[in-house]
Amino acid sequence: MTNVQRLQKSLRDSDVQALFLTDLVNIQWLTGFRGSSGLVLLTADEGLFITDSRYKLSSQAEVQGLPV
């Protein structure tokens, strides 16, 4: 089970609708992304990783468990 899946299960279990991550330490733990600019929007069933165009290639290679 990935960190994304564990966190989504926790969201379901806690009846939390969504989580918006902006802290890069948390984003790196969750996705593996090591860049200096990124955001994550996560619900119990879906998630989205957002970054700027400088990180297009690296985010495609690093981010796991979320669409880039």
Side-chain angles (χ1 to χ4, degrees):
M1 183 178 273
T2 67
N3 289 340
V4 170
Q5 291 168 328
R6 280 195 287 276
L7 187 52
Q8 286 178 314
K9 182 182 181 318
S10 181
L11 291 175
R12 281 190 295 277
D13 293 347
S14 302
D15 200 29
V16 174
Q17 301 235 341
L19 184 66
F20 187 62
L21 297 174
T22 60
D23 185 283
L24 292 171
V25 172
N26 294 329
I27 292 169
Q28 182 177 358
W29 170 82
L30 184 65
T31 68
F33 179 69
R34 295 177 290 156
S36 64
S37 177
L39 304 168
V40 172
L41 179 60
L42 193 66
T43 69
D45 301 314
E46 298 182 69
L48 181 63
F49 175 82
I50 304 163
T51 191
D52 62 67
S53 61
R54 295 176 294 164
Y55 297 107
K56 182 177 181 177
L57 295 177
S58 63
S59 64
Q60 290 171 344
E62 294 176 0
V63 174
Q64 298 180 20
L66 293 174
V68 177

